[in-house]
Amino acid sequence: MDFSNAFSRYEALVDQVGQVFTKVSSEFSEEVKCKAGCDDCCHALFDLTFVEALYIKEKFDELYNGKARYEITERASTVDRGLAKMKKEAYKRHEAGTPDDAIIEAISKMRVRCPLLGEEGKCLMYEYRPIACRVYGIPTSAAGKGHTCGLSGFNEGKAYPTLNMDLVYNRLYKISGDLVREIDSRFTQMGSVLVPLSMALLTDYNEEYLGVEVKA
């Protein structure tokens, strides 16, 4: 299957987001603490949009085989089982009447090591890392709430240039939805599905999984 059009659009968005990060980090060099050896963002919880999941899995398949691939997928499997348990507990809390905001806040504070974080504390797929990783060190907003890296020097209550992640994710959903239509998947809502990076690495995105008719 040909994902090149969607991947080109995704890479263009990655480039735009990267320019925003570079601009903010250069203007607020004292506040942005991102540097070699810092892996705080590599323990944050976030999910990937459909196009991001396909993209990183394709790059992973191109880069890794043998022992290295086995070790990464083993870590991904361990992480994925832990996330499934975590989501089950969150659902139980929801059913028990715990407010969703409280559940989301609790989950956001949890630390889970990314399966792509190498033993030396470096990302094993840094060039192809998801957008959430690329913007972690600067102020962002989502659903009307601001977010900053806990290690940054940005002061709460002070105004800073802020990347609106709702706009970014709207673009990602648009690319994902268009891709679902391009491959003519019978799973028409697949473009709105979010998955953890660990699951993306473990998934075989073949025709059957994607709901695409195999032509004889």
Side-chain angles (χ1 to χ4, degrees):
M1 287 174 288
D2 183 10
F3 304 138
S4 58
N5 178 50
F7 285 176
S8 293
R9 292 169 64 192
Y10 170 65
E11 289 172 342
L13 178 59
V14 166
D15 184 61
Q16 292 175 344
V17 168
Q19 292 179 37
V20 173
F21 183 91
T22 298
K23 185 175 188 298
V24 174
S25 60
S26 63
E27 293 179 359
F28 297 89
S29 57
E30 294 297 318
E31 288 81 5
V32 178
K33 304 296 184 180
C34 298
K35 59 183 179 181
C38 179
D39 60 7
D40 190 66
C41 60
C42 304
H43 295 80
L45 288 176
F46 63 90
D47 286 336
L48 304 181
T49 57
F50 180 57
V51 67
E52 290 179 290
L54 282 175
Y55 184 84
I56 200 161
K57 178 57 188 301
E58 180 167 295
K59 299 303 181 182
F60 176 66
D61 288 345
E62 292 173 359
L63 289 172
Y64 289 99
N65 54 44
K67 181 182 178 181
R69 182 185 181 89
Y70 173 78
E71 291 175 346
I72 294 172
T73 53
E74 281 295 291
R75 291 200 297 269
S77 181
T78 299
V79 168
D80 211 52
R81 290 194 299 271
L83 291 177
K85 182 178 180 180
M86 187 184 302
K87 290 178 179 179
K88 182 182 290 186
E89 291 299 319
Y91 180 74
K92 288 181 179 178
R93 293 186 63 193
H94 169 76
E95 290 293 288
T98 303
D100 288 345
D101 285 350
I103 296 173
I104 293 172
E105 182 178 358
I107 291 176
S108 69
K109 293 179 180 178
M110 294 180 178
R111 307 277 290 172
V112 176
R113 183 186 177 95
C114 177
L116 290 176
L117 179 61
E119 295 302 321
E120 298 181 354
K122 295 182 179 180
C123 177
L124 299 176
M125 292 185 63
Y126 185 80
E127 183 179 352
Y128 306 110
R129 67 197 187 282
I131 283 179
C133 307
R134 297 172 183 270
V135 302
Y136 190 83
I138 65 173
T140 61
S141 67
K145 293 185 178 181
H147 305 271
T148 59
C149 166
L151 301 180
S152 71
F154 293 101
N155 297 314
E156 186 175 351
K158 188 175 179 180
Y160 297 100
T162 301
L163 178 61
N164 187 334
M165 291 302 292
D166 291 331
L167 298 179
V168 174
Y169 274 94
N170 284 342
R171 291 274 299 279
L172 289 169
Y173 284 129
K174 180 66 167 61
I175 297 170
S176 297
D178 289 346
L179 175 55
V180 170
R181 287 184 285 275
E182 286 173 12
I183 64 176
D184 196 24
S185 171
R186 66 177 182 273
F187 304 135
T188 58
Q189 300 303 310
M190 184 177 284
S192 61
V193 174
L194 296 170
V195 300
L197 184 144
S198 55
M199 182 180 290
L201 295 179
L202 296 169
T203 300
D204 181 8
Y205 290 102
N206 56 27
E207 287 88 349
E208 181 180 2
Y209 183 92
L210 295 174
V212 176
E213 181 179 355
V214 180
K215 298 181 180 179

